[in-house]
Amino acid sequence: MTGAPRLLLAPMEGLLDHHLRDVLTRVGGLDRCVSEFIRVTDRLVPDHVFLRRVPELRRGSRTASGVPVRPQLLGSDPACLADNAAALAALGAEGVDLNFGCPARTVNRHRGGAVLLDEPELLRAIVASVRAAVPRDVPVSAKMRLGYRDESRLLDCARALADGGAQEIVVHARTQADGYRPPARWDRIARVRQAVQVPVVANGEVWTVDDARRCLAESGCAALMLGRGLVADPWLALAIRGEGAGPGAGEDLRPLLRAFWDGLAGDFAERHRPGRLKQWLNLLRRRFPAAQAAWERVRAVDDAATVERLVFGAD
Ligand SMILES: Cc1cc2nc3c(=O)[nH]c(=O)nc-3n(C[C@H](O)[C@H](O)[C@H](O)COP(=O)(O)O)c2cc1C
């Protein structure tokens, strides 16, 4: 690797909320986060909804440790997305990211996410409309997959996003039809990079430092977006930078889990807290034997007090 790559934290609806962003950015190594998507239909999203999803907006669009957070919008109506992007900018958003990658059937049925990759002209119109609606110094970026059913429109889509005014394009190197099945085809990102002038960020299946090296080499990118790999190993970004000792070197997960668990108490009903913690443990257990043990203790437990005792009892 020549020089440290820029490292972005991926949006992950249902898991990577502001609590987990806070915990993971405290560990370090990340340059920017993208929020989980905010759905836009045919009206203005109330400010209180933006602020609930991205409370970092109250802190200059940064996490407590100072890492910028860029809100992400998902929708298909250029004018309505533009109005909502302008509202986000007025709230101090560091930038606006647009979701053209969500594979969920219900979202796609309502013309949101990856299904729009079949309509490059609409992609261009959406980005142009959003770009025109926010101040020049507020970057507009887009996140795409390789395509919806297949990759035949990959370069048309990437060029449409760049022509519309996207200042950065994140490419998750799979189609909607691929879902989350490995492999991620990093070499396809290199084609996108050659087709557009704007920075391209590589995403998909980076779980280790070695994956990061190979992804950077195959894609030719200078930036990576890390999703499940960083949630499974909060020290991954530092390790990719050659800093920190990495997991297995005695890193203690408990303070991180405790901070997340306590944070959830602030805005989650008790019955929803265990599910969130278990989702994180389910990824952490790929790397950490202690997380595996905790996950086995709580996997069948839904009661918050019992989960707390079983995970943190010895604290
Ligand atoms: C549970 C989950 C939720 C996700 N939510 C979003 C989302 O809100 N917006 C988005 O653009 N991508 C979303 N993604 C996709 C990720 O940002 C990322 O592109 C994908 O997980 C591949 O990267 P990874 O292999 O590093 O995890 C989500 C992925 C997962 C697994």
Side-chain angles (χ1 to χ4, degrees):
M1 242 181 295
T2 53
R6 275 191 313 128
L7 297 174
L8 312 187
L9 182 60
M12 288 176 68
E13 156 66 19
L15 172 61
L16 223 172
D17 57 12
H18 65 98
H19 301 295
L20 196 46
R21 281 197 291 276
D22 180 38
V23 171
L24 295 176
T25 54
R26 280 176 202 269
V27 173
L30 291 163
D31 294 295
R32 195 201 314 140
C33 308
V34 175
S35 82
E36 63 274 49
F37 71 75
I38 301 162
R39 185 82 174 270
V40 170
T41 52
D42 57 356
R43 64 200 63 183
L44 211 49
V45 174
D47 281 358
H48 71 87
V49 175
F50 284 136
L51 291 165
R52 192 174 66 224
R53 295 284 273 188
V54 193
E56 294 97 335
L57 288 166
R58 296 186 194 277
R59 205 188 290 110
S61 209
R62 286 169 187 270
T63 65
S65 47
V67 178
V69 180
R70 186 172 295 182
Q72 184 186 69
L73 296 178
L74 179 149
S76 59
D77 182 286
C80 199
L81 283 164
D83 290 346
N84 280 284
L88 277 173
L91 287 173
E94 176 272 347
V96 177
D97 190 67
L98 297 167
N99 178 319
F100 302 116
C102 181
R105 274 180 220 290
T106 43
V107 171
N108 290 171
R109 244 198 329 268
H110 291 95
R111 273 187 102 211
V115 73
L116 301 184
L117 298 170
D118 273 348
E119 300 182 69
E121 198 37 53
L122 179 58
L123 297 188
R124 200 198 58 74
I126 290 172
V127 179
S129 176
V130 167
R131 181 58 277 165
V134 300
R136 277 309 325 159
D137 62 346
V138 175
V140 174
S141 52
K143 182 160 176 284
M144 66 181 295
R145 285 184 175 240
L146 299 181
Y148 186 56
R149 289 292 169 223
D150 59 48
E151 300 175 21
S152 56
R153 290 178 155 136
L154 172 61
L155 299 187
D156 290 344
C157 287
R159 288 192 190 106
L161 296 173
D163 288 352
Q167 277 134 297
E168 179 185 80
I169 301 173
V170 177
V171 183
H172 175 189
R174 276 183 277 242
T175 64
Q176 185 275 352
D178 295 329
Y180 290 94
R181 268 190 313 280
R185 295 185 288 281
W186 297 324
D187 59 318
R188 311 303 205 269
I189 304 173
R191 294 191 201 161
V192 172
R193 217 175 40 78
Q194 283 152 13
V196 299
Q197 300 296 318
V198 296
V200 174
V201 180
N203 170 240
E205 297 297 325
V206 174
W207 296 90
T208 64
V209 174
D210 186 55
D211 291 339
R213 276 203 195 95
R214 287 186 298 112
C215 180
L216 289 166
E218 282 186 37
S219 66
C221 291
L224 295 175
M225 176 176 271
L226 306 169
R228 292 161 303 161
L230 191 114
V231 178
D233 172 4
W235 289 271
L236 178 62
L238 287 174
I240 292 172
R241 293 176 187 282
E243 298 166 22
E251 297 288 6
D252 187 1
L253 279 179
R254 273 179 313 175
L256 273 54
L257 287 166
R258 173 52 89 175
F260 181 54
W261 179 251
D262 289 349
L264 291 175
D267 58 7
F268 270 80
E270 282 299 278
R271 67 179 188 286
H272 294 312
R273 280 167 87 202
R276 289 272 167 151
L277 187 74
K278 282 195 266 183
Q279 271 196 81
W280 190 19
L281 284 173
N282 192 26
L283 278 167
L284 288 168
R285 74 195 179 98
R286 301 171 73 116
R287 284 275 177 286
F288 297 90
Q292 171 69 28
W295 191 78
E296 279 167 16
R297 289 198 297 276
V298 299
R299 61 187 295 188
V301 181
D302 290 324
D303 167 61
T306 313
V307 166
E308 172 152 345
R309 184 170 51 73
L310 291 173
V311 175
F312 305 109
D315 280 10

